[in-house]
Amino acid sequence: MAIVNSIFTWYMKKRIHQIELFMKYPLDVQDEWLHTLIASAENTEWGKLYDYKSILTLQQFKERVPIQNYDTLKPYIERMLQGEQNILWPSEIKWFAKSSGTTSDRSKFIPVSEEALEECHFRGGKDMLSIYCNNRPNAQIFTGKGLVLGGSHQINELCEDIHYGDLSAVLIKNLPVWAEYYRTPDMSIALMDNYEQKMDKMAEATIKENVTSISGVPTWTIVLAKKAMEITGAKNLLEIWPNLEAYFHGAVNFTPYREQFKELIPTSEMYYLETYNASEGFFGIQDQANSEELLLMLDYGIYYEFLPLENIDDENPKTLSLDQVELHKNYAIIISTNGGLWRYMIGDTVSFTSLYPFRIKITGRTKHFINAFGEEVIIDNAENALTKACSTTQAKVKDYTACPIYFSGEQAGGHEWIIEFEKQPDDFEQFVDVLDQTLREVNSDYDAKRFKDMALRRPKVHNAPPDTFYNWMKNRGKLGGQHKVPRLANNRDYVDDILKLL
C-alpha cells in the first residue's frame, strides 16, 4: 500500500501548479470562464431568451440577465425534472441535488450537469486531497480508506431517467471506480434512507476497516463516532482507527464542535481541512494549514459576482467582480455555472480575508437562519411554525428569538427558543409540539435531523415574562423603530444574553 500511496500523492500534487496559476491570474481565469459559459449556452432556451450570441462583455451580461433565485428559475427546473432538455444548459441533465427549501418550497432541486459533476464537484474533491497531500508531505491517507458520510438517494418518479438525492448521494452514485475503491462503507449502506439503521450499519461496517480519513458534516460524524465507540468499547476513535489522520468537513460552522473532536481524536497530529461546497457548486477550500480562510476556487466552471449586503434590497442592485471587492465587507454570492444557474443568488454571505490570492470566510446567510447541524431553518420556516402553534392553542406571540443548543456529552443538539406571549397558549406543551411538528413539515433537513432525536431533540422553549425583550433591547441601547429583535441566530449570543435577564 505504501507504493500505491506514493503514486497517488505524487499524482495529486501535480494539480498544485494549476491552482497556483489561477491564484496568480484570477481575473483572466474568471473572464475566460464567463465567455465559455455564455458561448456554451447560447442555443439553449435560456440563451435564446437573453440572446447570449450577442453578449460580448460582462457589462452586457449584467444588463441583460436579471439576478435570479430559486423561485425565478423554478418554472424552468420543473420542466427539467419532467425530462425536458436544453433549457438552462446544453448537455443532458439527469441528476438533481435536493437541498432544503426556500420561502415557498420545502425542498429545492438543483440541476447537476455532467460538467458540474466533473469540472466542479469532483475536481473540488480531488483538489481537497491535492492540497492536503501538498501541505502534509508524509501523508499516508491512501494506505487505508476514506469514511464518507453520505446522504440518502431516491429515484425521482416523475420520469424514469431523472434521479435526485442530496448532493453527497448524487456524488457517491457517480464516483469514478478508483474513488469507490477507497471509500467506505459500500453504497448499499451509504445511501440508506433510515438514519438510525444507517448509523448502526455504518458503524458495524467501518470499525473493521483501516480508516485513514473521514469526510462529513460534524453532526452526523459525532453520532457515528459515538456508535462506533459504543460497539467496540473504545474510549476514542484512535483506538478503533489508529491510522486516522485527516477530517474533511464543511456545511456548518466547525468552531462549536472543535473541542468535542479533540476528545474523540486525542492527537495534535490530526489534520482538519474545511471545504465550502453546496448543491449549487464547490466554492472554496482551506488551503493553508495555519489559517481557517478558504481559497476561492476559480477554475471550476463558475463565474462569481459579489453583491454588497447593504444593496441587497435595491431594485437593480449593482454587483462587483473580483477586481472590485474590498477586504472585510459582507457580500452576497451570485454565481453563473456549468450546471445552468445564471446570476443565481445562493443565499450565502462571505467576506474577503485576502485579495490576490482571493480568500474568504463564510459570514452567514442573506437572511436570518439557524444552521448549526445542517438543518437550515430560515425565518419563513419559524414564522409558519409559530402561526400554526398559535392557531392550535389560541396563543398570540409578542416577540421571540431562537438559537442552537450544541451537542454536549451524550445529548443530541437542539434549538432553544425564548418566546414572549401577548396571550398565553391554552396548553404550553402542545404549543411546543405543534411548533416542532410544523418545522418538520416545512423543512425536510430539520425533519431528517429530528428523526428519533438522533441529531436534534425537541425544542427547548422558555415562556418569557412580559417586557423581557423590551428590557433587553433597552439594555443594549437598541430601542426604536429601526432596531428589531433578531429572530434566528446561528450562535448563542442573543439567547444567552436574554437568559441572564430571566
Side-chain angles (χ1 to χ4, degrees):
M1 286 307 276
I3 294 168
V4 176
N5 183 71
S6 301
I7 293 166
F8 262 106
T9 48
W10 169 79
Y11 175 73
M12 286 297 173
K13 285 183 197 171
K14 284 175 68 173
R15 165 74 177 146
I16 296 296
H17 172 63
Q18 291 169 302
I19 292 173
E20 285 166 350
L21 273 179
F22 78 64
M23 288 166 78
K24 197 172 176 184
Y25 304 106
L27 307 181
D28 297 341
V29 169
Q30 278 285 280
D31 192 52
E32 196 179 316
W33 265 115
L34 176 66
H35 288 98
T36 301
L37 291 169
I38 290 170
S40 299
E42 61 184 27
N43 292 317
T44 61
E45 187 174 310
W46 182 272
K48 288 173 182 169
L49 177 67
Y50 291 106
D51 194 14
Y52 273 21
K53 272 198 170 114
S54 68
I55 294 178
L56 301 173
T57 65
L58 170 61
Q59 203 45 46
Q60 287 174 325
F61 178 62
K62 287 184 180 187
E63 282 166 8
R64 204 172 294 175
V65 183
I67 290 174
Q68 305 295 316
N69 58 36
Y70 188 76
D71 289 330
T72 60
L73 287 186
K74 190 180 162 194
Y76 300 93
I77 290 171
E78 285 188 331
R79 288 168 55 202
M80 293 159 76
L81 283 164
Q82 303 284 349
E84 281 191 58
Q85 298 293 345
N86 204 35
I87 295 194
L88 293 173
W89 188 250
S91 65
E92 193 178 14
I93 302 212
K94 295 177 177 181
W95 289 92
F96 291 81
K98 178 174 176 264
S99 70
S100 73
T102 61
T103 299
S104 57
D105 278 298
R106 189 169 187 260
S107 298
K108 294 185 290 197
F109 294 89
I110 304 296
V112 182
S113 66
E114 193 63 41
E115 294 86 343
L117 269 176
E118 292 295 334
E119 294 167 359
C120 183
H121 293 293
F122 288 155
R123 182 177 282 183
K126 286 182 208 158
D127 283 355
M128 172 185 85
L129 291 168
S130 298
I131 286 167
Y132 173 70
C133 292
N134 193 56
N135 287 355
R136 182 171 254 189
N138 60 346
Q140 297 295 308
I141 195 166
F142 296 111
T143 59
K145 295 205 167 184
L147 197 170
V148 181
L149 284 94
S152 57
H153 163 75
Q154 299 154 275
I155 301 294
N156 177 358
E157 285 151 26
L158 291 170
C159 172
E160 63 178 296
D161 286 339
I162 305 293
H163 314 276
Y164 69 75
D166 61 18
L167 177 70
S168 56
V170 172
L171 299 183
I172 286 172
K173 205 76 178 157
N174 288 279
L175 276 176
V177 175
W178 70 265
E180 187 54 39
Y181 174 75
Y182 274 103
R183 199 185 56 71
T184 186
D186 72 46
M187 213 177 281
S188 64
I189 297 171
L191 300 179
M192 283 173 71
D193 278 329
N194 181 319
Y195 265 86
E196 191 175 37
Q197 291 172 6
K198 178 176 180 162
M199 287 295 140
D200 287 339
K201 286 257 196 301
M202 245 186 167
E204 284 160 16
T206 55
I207 54 176
K208 305 167 192 138
E209 298 283 359
N210 174 25
V211 171
T212 51
S213 71
I214 300 177
S215 310
V217 181
T219 333
W220 290 121
T221 306
I222 290 171
V223 172
L224 178 71
K226 287 179 176 173
K227 274 275 189 260
M229 282 152 56
E230 191 185 304
I231 293 169
T232 58
K235 292 188 181 67
N236 61 59
L237 290 185
L238 294 177
E239 291 183 8
I240 305 170
W241 301 307
N243 300 317
L244 184 62
E245 61 177 68
Y247 176 50
F248 305 111
H249 62 91
V252 298
N253 179 9
F254 189 60
T255 309
Y257 299 99
R258 201 175 293 282
E259 288 309 311
Q260 266 186 289
F261 272 82
K262 280 183 187 166
E263 286 173 24
L264 289 171
I265 310 162
T267 170
S268 56
E269 293 298 298
M270 188 65 184
Y271 195 108
Y272 295 92
L273 190 149
E274 183 173 0
T275 62
Y276 176 19
N277 59 327
S279 303
E280 296 87 354
F282 201 122
F283 309 127
I285 301 175
Q286 183 182 343
D287 68 316
Q288 304 167 102
N290 57 355
S291 165
E292 290 178 18
E293 301 165 79
L294 299 163
L295 180 68
L296 191 64
M297 306 307 281
L298 301 177
D299 65 348
Y300 285 5
I302 298 173
Y303 181 78
Y304 291 97
E305 298 172 61
F306 300 91
L307 175 57
L309 211 51
E310 61 268 24
N311 304 125
I312 203 157
D313 294 322
D314 295 359
E315 198 163 326
N316 292 302
K318 298 258 184 297
T319 60
L320 308 177
S321 304
L322 276 177
D323 56 337
Q324 299 169 303
V325 297
E326 297 171 43
L327 287 173
H328 312 305
K329 284 189 74 170
N330 259 347
Y331 297 105
I333 301 186
I334 293 175
I335 56 173
S336 297
T337 76
N338 51 9
L341 301 177
W342 298 104
R343 302 202 75 209
Y344 182 89
M345 194 186 297
I346 61 174
D348 288 344
T349 59
V350 299
S351 70
F352 284 87
T353 52
S354 150
L355 308 175
Y356 302 95
F358 290 92
R359 292 194 179 94
I360 56 171
K361 69 171 183 183
I362 304 162
T363 51
R365 300 282 289 171
T366 50
K367 297 180 173 66
H368 288 289
F369 69 105
I370 304 177
N371 187 32
F373 310 95
E375 71 276 57
E376 289 194 38
V377 170
I378 56 176
I379 288 280
D380 195 70
N381 301 156
E383 302 281 13
N384 281 339
L386 285 168
T387 303
K388 184 82 182 284
C390 281
S391 70
T392 307
T393 61
Q394 314 305 309
K396 280 186 188 160
V397 168
K398 185 179 179 187
D399 252 322
Y400 74 93
T401 191
C403 76
I405 304 169
Y406 296 115
F407 283 143
S408 67
E410 292 305 305
Q411 275 213 304
H415 289 179
E416 187 161 7
W417 294 67
I418 299 175
I419 302 178
E420 185 178 324
F421 290 94
E422 189 88 43
K423 179 173 183 283
Q424 287 289 333
D426 295 343
D427 181 334
F428 183 75
E429 291 308 315
Q430 188 190 14
F431 180 95
V432 178
D433 284 335
V434 176
L435 175 76
D436 181 40
Q437 191 51 43
T438 311
L439 280 173
R440 294 185 73 161
E441 286 163 16
V442 299
N443 182 319
S444 54
D445 285 340
Y446 178 88
D447 185 42
K449 306 294 182 295
R450 281 285 290 116
F451 181 75
K452 298 274 179 86
D453 289 355
M454 285 176 68
L456 282 178
R457 58 186 188 267
R458 181 175 181 260
K460 180 178 182 178
V461 182
H462 300 272
N463 190 338
D467 294 331
T468 295
F469 284 94
Y470 176 86
N471 293 330
W472 178 62
M473 295 292 274
K474 188 176 170 184
N475 286 353
R476 297 168 73 224
K478 298 276 188 189
L479 284 180
Q482 77 275 30
H483 298 298
K484 296 181 178 69
V485 172
R487 295 306 189 199
L488 302 178
N490 206 31
N491 57 57
R492 295 194 50 87
D493 299 354
Y494 300 132
V495 165
D496 284 343
D497 210 18
I498 299 167
L499 288 175
K500 288 175 196 161
L501 290 179
L502 301 180

